[in-house]
Amino acid sequence: MSVSVKRGRPPGMMDVARLAGVSHQTVSRVLNEHKNVSEQTRLKVRAAIAELGYRPDRAARALVTGTSQVIGVVAQNSSLFGPASMLNAFEEAAQAVGFAVNVSSVRSLDQRSIAEAVDRHLDQRVAGIVMIAPVASAGPALEHLPADVPLVTIDGDPERSSTLVTVDQEAGARAATQRLLDAGHRTVWHISGPSDWFDAAGRVRGWEQTLTDSGVEIPPLLTGDWSAASGYRNGQLLARLPDVTAVFTANDHIALGLLRALNEHGRRVPDDVSIIGFDDVPEAAYFTPPLTTVRPDFAAVATASLELLMEQVSGAAEVGRRRTVAPELIERGSVAPPAV
Amino acid sequence: MSVSVKRGRPPGMMDVARLAGVSHQTVSRVLNEHKNVSEQTRLKVRAAIAELGYRPDRAARALVTGTSQVIGVVAQNSSLFGPASMLNAFEEAAQAVGFAVNVSSVRSLDQRSIAEAVDRHLDQRVAGIVMIAPVASAGPALEHLPADVPLVTIDGDPERSSTLVTVDQEAGARAATQRLLDAGHRTVWHISGPSDWFDAAGRVRGWEQTLTDSGVEIPPLLTGDWSAASGYRNGQLLARLPDVTAVFTANDHIALGLLRALNEHGRRVPDDVSIIGFDDVPEAAYFTPPLTTVRPDFAAVATASLELLMEQVSGAAEVGRRRTVAPELIERGSVAPPAV
DNA sequence: GGCGAAATTGTGAACGCAAACATCCACGGG
DNA sequence: CCCGTGGATGTTTGCGTTCACAATTTCGCC
């Protein structure tokens, strides 16, 4: 850990080579863990590297190899819990395999914005791109992408995207809906997310399907926008309907808004109405009452995405693979049998 | 928007130069908006660039200039609302001035982790580093940083950091505390964040100070960890103390936990107890009751940080500047006069 | 109308690295 | 004993860009 005194350019391969008494190419070989380097010289080089505090210049490497050790992520600029968690998890996974992550967030997921974000990444010669593209409008932007850049889409269009990793929204929704049915409720209402989100659509499908399978009446679908506000608005409606005893909401924040609306109308949870949310935001356990919810495994999605991306990067490119990770139902205090 | 047919290397400056009938250097000049380029050739070059779909190779540029158009951000790998919002806001601001953002998140903000994250950024030859370093342990890591890399710290140590941007925690805390005092409460309790967070410390100072200034008794300080769980735990305690009528919590999630604890003990908010939170998370308006809280302006912090960083990057480096942005009290329904 | 300065354009080198190719050496089989 | 084989190392070249400097053109002015 000695400090180089000359405050000029940082040391380069040549400097290391000179100090170690070898050629710069040998240094390169040591760095890239090539075979055919004797243990002895490897050690010498390592020592020289340490002494000089040498660090390879990624830019130079990128220039000659034509690719960088950077992964570009296109994500929506939001603090929504799902996407934010996903981003965090992915960043950590990428870091573990020595890749840097370049985030290019985008205000809205329309085609133009996404294309621009992708362009920014292409300028940086990223090794691959991960698109967190949960909405339908994101699809077309992928079409015009050069075919030779590795790409993985998270929560994208099941119909279109080539390589795709998703949370199994349907399974989560089925688990939630079934749980409410099992508790004895005649049917289950649903407040969905925005209809152009695949996540939202999947949850709706799972809910509908479960109801159908049980031969139960399907109530009208209520639509929210992930926000607590939308849960509250829809809650104003539901609170007035005495036969509403069970609601599955597309996420926890909607559930929170619903909780408040029910509360204001004097309908108790879970005594009068049972609720199940989705996402398991950290504070869901401290809603009043604690919220039973569905927890997606963001870390699993992230590592799966990275795996698929790395396969493409390293050339063994089986494009078009899919990976799905199943969420888990977290039981807490917002579900009870219907009042008699 | 024509597509280059040859699927070989992407076009370089030379290709553009050839097509435009000029030298590669002239192309470079056009790209960098140098003076002394005739309008005529500028147009020719622009046309050639468009026709070939040429895009400059940032890696090559970085190699020769020794710096990239990338800003490294070191942040904690968490979905905490504050840091996540900050990151988002900063990313957007950086993007607007043509810089890419490289995130190197870190599991915990200890010295070693931070040093590693910084190293990763140094490897990438980032133009500057932004450190979202809200805890005390992050300080020492900054010491060993090469002095010539532009650095801005967000929410860092007021005592130590050179260039610093922070939310004015004290002012926010004062506003909240004063508001409760003004409502007629005899004193105000506080559940703080972790004591090693500067944010938390600042809020404690503001709270204490306001109480002192009003010549009011200062209740014992309760310590939380930002989580709803910690709000709940402390709430178990507070709910049993009948003389507790006003609580200022270090963030909204703590307030949520507290809300539940009070609720379980039959103490109504705001009738029996008034509460003010901090952060204004999007769902705070839908707590039961809606939460009065303090809203920091993350976007303002982000743009201020970027400004300061850019000053350093462009050489006009007045290191050691400070910038503070004042938060705003958002009135909602969780404050009322004490019961008589 | 010619001369110098300013504007414009071109030429060569260098940035730090990896790939391709060349070289050197030791060892073993015919 | 010679040549072939393969491991270990060195040399050269080029990636796409900018910088320093050189060359050329343009223009104003006496």
Side-chain angles (χ1 to χ4, degrees):
Chain A
M1 285 289 182
S2 86
V3 178
S4 79
V5 187
K6 37 175 146 186
R7 213 74 208 83
R9 299 202 163 274
M13 254 187 183
M14 293 297 248
D15 303 308
V16 176
R18 203 169 312 126
L19 181 58
V22 299
S23 78
H24 64 109
Q25 175 61 338
T26 301
V27 177
S28 171
R29 277 192 270 257
V30 171
L31 252 46
N32 298 322
E33 280 163 353
H34 264 255
K35 42 201 157 283
N36 296 355
V37 180
S38 77
E39 192 57 26
Q40 190 184 2
T41 61
R42 190 192 310 278
L43 257 42
K44 273 195 304 189
V45 171
R46 286 256 154 77
I49 289 178
E51 175 166 350
L52 264 61
Y54 163 79
R55 30 191 44 203
D57 187 328
R58 316 270 256 187
R61 168 180 248 242
L63 177 59
V64 59
T65 60
T67 177
S68 64
Q69 296 269 91
V70 176
I71 298 175
V73 175
V74 179
Q76 193 181 25
N77 186 356
S78 88
S79 306
L80 284 182
F81 179 76
S85 303
M86 200 72 90
L87 185 61
N88 264 328
F90 187 83
E91 205 284 325
E92 186 167 345
Q95 203 168 277
V97 297
F99 273 70
V101 169
N102 220 297
V103 182
S104 191
S105 70
V106 88
R107 213 181 258 284
S108 77
L109 287 166
D110 59 293
Q111 184 169 349
R112 227 177 76 87
S113 306
I114 291 191
E116 283 172 12
V118 168
D119 277 356
R120 280 194 295 273
H121 282 144
L122 260 25
D123 281 349
Q124 305 279 350
R125 300 282 193 272
V126 294
I129 292 183
V130 172
M131 178 114 35
I132 305 182
V135 310
S137 57
L142 303 184
E143 310 273 276
H144 304 303
L145 201 105
D148 56 350
V149 31
L151 170 72
V152 171
T153 308
I154 296 182
D155 284 344
D157 188 344
E159 306 293 322
R160 188 195 306 253
S161 301
S162 37
T163 300
L164 183 67
V165 179
T166 53
V167 171
D168 192 339
Q169 313 289 354
E170 293 191 38
R174 274 197 305 268
T177 310
Q178 192 62 54
R179 173 70 182 81
L180 291 165
L181 254 24
D182 289 349
H185 294 276
R186 272 196 45 246
T187 188
V188 177
W189 291 63
H190 180 51
I191 306 178
S192 77
S195 51
D196 59 336
W197 283 57
F198 298 117
D199 301 16
R203 293 170 200 184
V204 169
R205 266 197 311 279
W207 163 74
E208 250 172 10
Q209 194 177 314
T210 308
L211 259 33
T212 305
D213 289 354
S214 301
V216 145
E217 172 205 4
I218 301 184
L221 174 67
L222 301 174
T223 303
D225 62 4
W226 301 131
S227 75
S230 71
Y232 181 71
R233 276 196 305 273
N234 282 295
Q236 300 281 17
L237 195 89
L238 293 177
R240 271 164 239 226
L241 273 32
D243 56 322
V244 173
T245 66
V247 185
F248 164 50
T249 65
N251 78 355
D252 292 348
H253 289 161
I254 294 179
L256 181 67
L258 171 61
L259 235 28
R260 176 147 101 85
L262 293 172
N263 206 300
E264 285 181 1
H265 285 76
R267 305 208 63 193
R268 292 160 307 160
V269 178
D271 313 74
D272 300 327
V273 181
S274 290
I275 299 181
I276 295 185
F278 208 113
D279 270 359
D280 192 28
V281 300
E283 61 272 22
Y286 294 90
F287 288 0
T288 307
L291 188 67
T292 295
T293 188
V294 178
R295 169 158 61 204
D297 188 344
F298 295 118
V301 172
T303 55
S305 313
L306 188 66
E307 263 176 52
L308 259 35
L309 189 68
M310 286 325 231
E311 281 176 15
Q312 291 183 55
V313 168
S314 61
E318 288 184 66
V319 172
R321 301 188 51 184
R322 301 284 164 110
R323 207 75 79 82
T324 289
V325 345
E328 178 192 3
L329 184 68
I330 307 290
E331 297 271 1
R332 288 203 265 259
S334 62
V335 175
V340 274
Chain B
M1 288 288 182
S2 86
V3 178
S4 80
V5 187
K6 37 175 142 187
R7 213 74 206 84
R9 298 204 164 273
M13 255 188 182
M14 293 296 247
D15 303 308
V16 175
R18 204 169 310 126
L19 180 59
V22 298
S23 78
H24 63 112
Q25 174 61 344
T26 301
V27 177
S28 170
R29 278 192 268 256
V30 171
L31 252 46
N32 297 321
E33 277 161 357
H34 263 257
K35 41 200 159 281
N36 298 352
V37 180
S38 78
E39 192 57 26
Q40 191 183 359
T41 60
R42 190 192 311 278
L43 257 43
K44 271 194 308 191
V45 171
R46 286 257 154 75
I49 288 178
E51 175 165 350
L52 265 59
Y54 162 80
R55 31 191 43 201
D57 187 327
R58 319 269 268 198
R61 168 181 248 240
L63 176 59
V64 58
T65 60
T67 178
S68 63
Q69 297 269 93
V70 176
I71 297 174
V73 175
V74 179
Q76 193 182 26
N77 185 357
S78 86
S79 306
L80 283 182
F81 180 76
S85 303
M86 200 72 90
L87 185 61
N88 263 328
F90 187 84
E91 205 284 324
E92 186 167 344
Q95 203 168 278
V97 297
F99 273 70
V101 170
N102 227 299
V103 182
S104 190
S105 70
V106 87
R107 213 180 259 283
S108 79
L109 286 167
D110 60 294
Q111 184 169 350
R112 229 177 77 85
S113 306
I114 291 192
E116 283 173 10
V118 167
D119 278 357
R120 280 193 295 273
H121 281 145
L122 259 25
D123 281 349
Q124 304 280 349
R125 300 285 193 272
V126 294
I129 292 185
V130 172
M131 178 115 35
I132 305 182
V135 311
S137 58
L142 302 184
E143 311 273 275
H144 304 302
L145 202 104
D148 57 348
V149 30
L151 170 72
V152 171
T153 308
I154 297 183
D155 284 344
D157 188 344
E159 306 293 323
R160 187 194 306 251
S161 301
S162 38
T163 301
L164 183 67
V165 179
T166 53
V167 171
D168 192 339
Q169 313 289 352
E170 295 192 35
R174 275 197 304 269
T177 311
Q178 193 62 54
R179 173 69 182 84
L180 290 165
L181 253 25
D182 289 348
H185 295 276
R186 273 194 45 244
T187 189
V188 178
W189 293 62
H190 179 49
I191 306 178
S192 76
S195 52
D196 59 336
W197 281 58
F198 299 116
D199 301 17
R203 292 171 201 183
V204 169
R205 266 197 310 280
W207 162 75
E208 252 173 8
Q209 193 177 314
T210 307
L211 259 31
T212 304
D213 289 354
S214 301
V216 145
E217 175 206 0
I218 302 185
L221 173 66
L222 302 173
T223 304
D225 61 4
W226 301 132
S227 74
S230 71
Y232 181 72
R233 275 196 306 273
N234 282 295
Q236 301 281 17
L237 196 88
L238 292 178
R240 271 165 239 229
L241 273 31
D243 56 322
V244 172
T245 66
V247 185
F248 163 50
T249 64
N251 78 355
D252 292 348
H253 288 161
I254 295 180
L256 181 66
L258 171 60
L259 234 28
R260 177 148 99 85
L262 293 173
N263 205 299
E264 285 181 359
H265 286 75
R267 306 209 63 193
R268 293 159 308 160
V269 178
D271 313 73
D272 301 327
V273 181
S274 289
I275 298 181
I276 295 186
F278 209 114
D279 271 359
D280 193 28
V281 301
E283 60 271 23
Y286 294 90
F287 288 1
T288 308
L291 187 68
T292 294
T293 187
V294 179
R295 168 157 63 204
D297 189 342
F298 295 117
V301 172
T303 56
S305 314
L306 188 65
E307 263 176 53
L308 259 34
L309 190 68
M310 286 324 229
E311 280 177 16
Q312 292 183 53
V313 169
S314 61
E318 287 183 67
V319 172
R321 301 188 53 186
R322 300 285 163 107
R323 207 76 79 82
T324 288
V325 344
E328 179 192 3
L329 183 68
I330 307 292
E331 298 271 2
R332 286 202 269 261
S334 61
V335 175
V340 272

